[in-house]
Amino acid sequence: MKAVNFTPRFWVALGLVLFTLLLGLVGPLVVHTDPNAVVGGLYDAPSAQQWLGTDNEGQSVLANLVYGTRTSLIVGLLAGTIATTIGLVIGLVAGFQGGWLDDALMGMTNVALAIPSIVVVILLSIALPSRGSFTLALVIGVTGWPWTARAVRAQATSVRTREHIDVARLSGARWGSILAWDVLPYLLSYVVMAFVLQVAGAILTEAALSMLGLGPSGSVSLGVMLYWALAWGSIRTGAWWAFMPPTLMLTLIAFSLLLLQSSLDEVFNPRLRRGRAARRKKVVGVTEPAVGAPVPIPIESGEDSDVEVGRGVETSSGTHTRGGNG
Amino acid sequence: MNDMSDHDLASPEDSAARTWGSSWETSRRRFLSISGLALGGAAIGLGAAGCGTAKTGNDNKGGQAQGRAGAAGETLFVAGFQWGPPTNFNPVGPSPAWPAGGGQSQLIYETLVRFNMVDGSLQPGLGTELKENDGGKSFTVALQEGTKWSDGKDLTADDVVFTFEIAKDASLSYSNVWEYLETVSATDPRTVEFKVKTKPFNPLPVKNAIAGTYIIPKHIWEEFATAKTLAKQANTKPVGSGPFLLDKYDQTQVVLKRDDNYWGKSVFGTPAMKSVVHPIFKSNSDGDLKLESGEIDASQQFTAQIWKMWEDKKKPVGTWLKEKPYYLPGNIPLLQINQTVKGLDNPKVRQAIAYAIDTPNIASTAMSDYSEPANASLILPTGYESKFYDEAGVKDKGWTFDKNKAVEILEKELKAKKGSDGIYKLPDGTRLGPWTLITPTGWTDWNTACEIVAKSCQAVGIDVKTEFPQAPNVTSKMQNGDFQLACWSASGVSPASPWSRFRDLLDDRGAAPVGKTTFYNFTRFKHPDVPKLLDDAGAATTDDERKTIYQKLDAIYRQTIPVVPLMYRPLEFYEFNESNWTGFPTEANPYAPPMWQGAGITWLFKIKKVGT
């Protein structure tokens, strides 16, 4: 892995992501205030005791922010894992197997893609008898997989024709083992990026749902905080501390994850590299990465795979718009 | 475009991918950088969005002394009654649009007499006064001089008799008056007599109906009464007797224009405004912003922290009271507890819940300080009901927010054991929860109150969670008993209160069991002594007599606790912005009550254009 040069962008992105993770996971341990405890009145301004003031129920905004960040991250990670797993399995099987199974799976995926997933998410969350953060993550996860499946399938199709697959077949490897050991590793870089995007998308979808009043009941999330801030006219009364912190936090999470994804893109795909890292390569005269490194596969496979990388990024951005606009 | 045609021969999937890929590749980073901005903007934008196309008066900055210019200056803009496109103006139908609905301003339709919630009196309307004969065995109302419909025909005692008679056969909103009303008759063309039934004898609901029923013209509605289509009429060109006529309406507004041939000019005077406009908003926040800016003159919306409008922003905004609680209490939103749910059927459990609820916090946050913490009584402690209020009883036998006391009841009196999940279990194994607390979505003050109730209960070890379905859903769940806990109110202050409130909450006679629709006693409460006491209260002739009976009922209530008062709420919210119209009544200038319905119409005739 020495060949991989992490760009400064990557380190900045990683730092931001780690910061939000730390805030969400360690924050609740540091901030001792119970997010449900009444510590003041309706929209008390920030003070020495309450750094971010109180919300419409007289609860600490700071405590709600760290607990809300945690809920949002948990929902995001869980939904991202579910969506990526479903998409990966369907895409791998369809792309590698081909034939009628491919047609069937992709037909299903295309149908799923055609239905606006925010509508499905809203209907599902209304229909469910209870809305915990886990059910919410499940709902977001099972509606977010189609574009991952499509992209993974495209990549798997190109890997299928490689010689080493034939070698594996000749040596008697089973179907499952070929998928897991000979196909999947070539897609891992892409899957990691897709996962990051899924997480960011899921967090924004959760916020969108919560702002519609369909958030997790019984727990606080960033979207729930925004929902109450809007419902209680915090903008009219000038209680900026009620809506700014969750807005900034959501922006930070989404921004850092997207930044991480795009810098990972540069790490995995040298063609996209800019700045010093790219210039140095030119000076040294390295034209293309050497054969054998599994990571920069998309480059080696030429024209075709370039399109596929493009598509992956494109569709993922599409998912984002969904979350962001909600 | 070129790119796409190049690849027309490739598989459709591939060509789509290519065009999308190339168009996004270049703008991806730009997208990343603006996505953050867009999100922040979305949060702020949402608050201001939704103003829609509803027409309001133009904000006239710096022109406070003159008010609005032009036609908008001659218009009174009101808000808070109409939340969807108007479909009908049928005053006897199930959901009429403003102002034909019950409990709204008497702009088109009028009542015989008008209730004043401040002193409990009945002010003249179409009738001069309500005369009580023989201790309430009958009432007579004489019509004012020259009462006329807006189409020029005379409004006579026949119209009044007709209005009440049609409710006998058809099921209209005021039909239940016939449980207590024997006959309505015209003793002469301008006098109506209401005879009260002797069994059950109760003049209160009759009085209530006389003060609350819009009189409708017989010559127009008679044919619908015979065809039995009264409730189905859209009535888009309403003929009423009030000072305004329906001018036009669409999904953004309802516009009324002044009727210069109003019969009551000699009695009530002429309103200063030429028209009254009700813009239709989507949510509280739209109307609140416009009230603050002076584009709405008077509003009936829940507006959080309204004092900031005059204290911080120096706007000419006001409410009835200059200080907390700003409004007069007129209703009690209650935690309604379904008596048929296991665990909640135990009065001691309900008592523990009553102690657990953080009512001071509900008053200060959910009600934005517009309420005192609610007391353990179904009688309002202020206004005209205060003469029945039992201060000593509430103090000795009532409850106040006390977590330790709630835990003590659970552990000592109920011998409940706390499970590993922090939730108590009764000795018979009944777990206290999970119970769902419902109230309609978007009713922000009630939603927040529910959140506080749920958290208060969780804090002592009772498992309660909230759910906010659409309003019609909640209504049908309440009526069918398909709920565990709910935030819902009973009848507000009226000529029949607090009798009507006790009856709504405690009377099991005529109330359907769970699974069938009932219009009162949603909790399916039963107590052997209540029906007799209710009848006695209705038949009582003096306030002292009533007071004793009401206090007995209140004492039974405090032992059985089918509902827990959460806060006090005004009968209607009443707030105004004086940048165009001035002279709204306040506590300092109490010439009219802070109401829209009933006697509230008085202020409409008295407010004046700024600078005149």
Side-chain angles (χ1 to χ4, degrees), chain A residues 5-259:
Chain A
N5 283 304
F6 292 116
T7 57
R9 228 148 85 95
F10 172 80
W11 291 114
V12 170
L14 191 69
L16 285 175
V17 170
L18 285 179
F19 170 73
T20 54
L21 281 175
L22 215 66
L23 197 83
L25 302 180
V26 183
L29 306 177
V30 179
V31 177
H32 287 296
T33 319
D34 179 354
N36 292 334
V38 178
V39 295
L42 172 65
Y43 288 146
D44 285 354
S47 63
Q49 287 82 39
Q50 297 303 326
W51 293 354
L52 287 177
T54 61
D55 66 4
N56 63 307
E57 285 178 54
Q59 302 164 161
S60 158
V61 172
L62 183 66
N64 273 281
L65 186 70
V66 290
Y67 278 90
T69 306
R70 180 160 78 174
T71 312
S72 290
L73 284 174
I74 290 174
V75 170
L77 288 170
L78 207 63
T81 311
I82 295 169
T84 314
T85 312
I86 299 177
L88 183 64
V89 169
I90 291 183
L92 263 185
V93 171
F96 181 71
Q97 196 61 30
W100 66 269
L101 190 61
D102 185 13
D103 288 344
L105 286 176
M106 278 307 109
M108 192 177 82
T109 311
N110 288 342
V111 169
L113 263 179
I115 306 167
S117 58
I118 189 76
V119 176
V120 181
V121 167
I122 290 173
L123 291 178
L124 273 178
S125 37
I126 292 173
L128 286 176
S130 77
R131 280 201 303 270
S133 33
F134 288 102
T135 39
L136 204 64
L138 197 73
V139 167
I140 298 172
V142 296
T143 52
W145 56 268
W147 65 264
T148 314
R150 285 281 299 264
V152 167
R153 181 239 170 214
Q155 304 242 3
T157 318
S158 82
V159 174
R160 185 175 61 178
T161 55
R162 302 279 176 79
E163 287 97 354
H164 76 277
I165 304 288
D166 295 333
V167 174
R169 279 215 180 94
L170 284 172
S171 59
R174 285 162 188 276
W175 182 81
S177 128
I178 296 179
L179 265 190
W181 301 109
D182 299 302
V183 181
L184 184 58
Y186 287 83
L187 310 178
L188 268 185
S189 66
Y190 182 77
V191 170
V192 168
M193 292 195 293
F195 173 70
V196 172
L197 284 175
Q198 287 280 16
V199 171
I203 289 174
L204 293 182
T205 308
E206 185 276 328
L209 275 182
S210 300
M211 276 174 69
L212 291 174
L214 298 170
S217 52
S219 62
V220 60
S221 78
L222 295 174
V224 170
M225 290 175 76
L226 283 173
Y227 169 73
W228 287 109
L230 286 175
W232 275 81
S234 59
I235 297 160
R236 175 179 52 82
T237 54
W240 54 267
W241 53 91
F243 62 90
M244 278 314 275
T247 310
L248 288 177
M249 198 63 218
L250 265 178
T251 313
L252 183 67
I253 294 177
F255 175 74
S256 62
L257 284 173
L258 292 176
L259 194 66

Side-chain angles (χ1 to χ4, degrees), chain B residues 416-472:
Chain B
K417 289 260 173 340
K418 207 169 200 168
S420 55
D421 53 357
I423 303 300
Y424 279 99
K425 262 189 186 157
L426 295 181
D428 67 354
T430 311
R431 188 175 182 269
L432 299 185
W435 291 316
T436 308
L437 170 56
I438 58 169
T439 214
T441 180
W443 298 16
T444 44
D445 43 346
W446 288 18
N447 292 161
T448 304
C450 287
E451 292 289 335
I452 294 171
V453 170
K455 283 168 189 169
S456 298
C457 289
Q458 292 281 0
V460 298
I462 300 171
D463 193 1
V464 174
K465 60 187 171 64
T466 58
E467 200 179 294
F468 306 132
Q470 298 290 322

Side-chain angles (χ1 to χ4, degrees), chain B residues 561-584:
Chain B
I561 324 176
V563 296
V564 183
L566 295 179
M567 52 199 171
Y568 299 113
R569 191 178 207 274
L571 187 64
E572 299 146 295
F573 282 99
Y574 162 80
E575 55 251 347
F576 52 84
N577 184 323
E578 295 200 307
S579 42
N580 194 67
W581 299 99
T582 62
F584 289 92

Side-chain angles (χ1 to χ4, degrees), chain A residues 286-301:
Chain A
V286 176
T287 46
E288 290 282 285
V291 184
V295 182
I297 269 298
I299 303 306
E300 288 182 284
S301 54

